[in-house]
């Protein structure tokens, strides 16, 4: 469990995941969620490049995964209501 927490806190991956979940949770539809989360993930990585960093595919994928989980959670909630 400690390895997972250490891995998630590396490069703020937990924040990428949380941000993606929030985008997916409040998106209006599947297309909107996909479009918004891909653009946001790419913009975050572009920001890292502009500040002298490098593109981190794991951060990018964590944001996408968060969006997928968030939209799935939204769909589950709306189905149960």
């Amino acid at each position: 469990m400690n390895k997972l927490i250490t891995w998630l806190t590396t490069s703020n991956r937990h924040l990428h995941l949380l941000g993606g979940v929030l985008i997916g949770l409040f998106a209006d539809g599947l297309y909107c969620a996909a479009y918004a989360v891909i653009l946001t993930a790419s913009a975050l990585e572009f920001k890292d490049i502009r500040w002298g960093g490098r593109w981190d595919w794991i951060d990018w994928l964590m944001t996408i995964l968060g969006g997928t989980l968030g939209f799935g959670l939204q769909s589950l909630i709306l189905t149960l209501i």
Side-chain angles (χ1 to χ4, degrees):
M1 189 67 176
N2 287 337
K3 286 184 179 183
L4 177 63
I5 293 171
T6 302
W7 185 80
L8 279 174
T9 55
T10 302
S11 184
N12 294 324
R13 290 182 182 137
H14 62 291
L15 296 177
H16 284 268
L17 186 66
L18 179 63
V21 167
L22 291 175
I23 292 170
L25 191 60
F26 294 108
D28 192 29
L30 178 61
Y31 178 76
C32 177
Y35 190 71
V37 81
I38 288 170
L39 284 178
T40 302
S42 299
L44 286 171
E45 293 309 309
F46 179 72
K47 181 241 348 153
D48 287 346
I49 290 172
R50 294 295 294 166
W51 282 91
R54 61 177 181 81
W55 186 280
D56 189 354
W57 284 104
I58 296 174
D59 286 352
W60 191 82
L61 289 172
M62 290 299 287
T63 309
I64 303 296
L65 176 65
T68 304
L69 293 174
F71 188 75
L73 183 62
Q74 177 202 52
S75 298
L76 179 67
I77 290 169
L78 291 177
T79 302
L80 294 177
I81 290 178

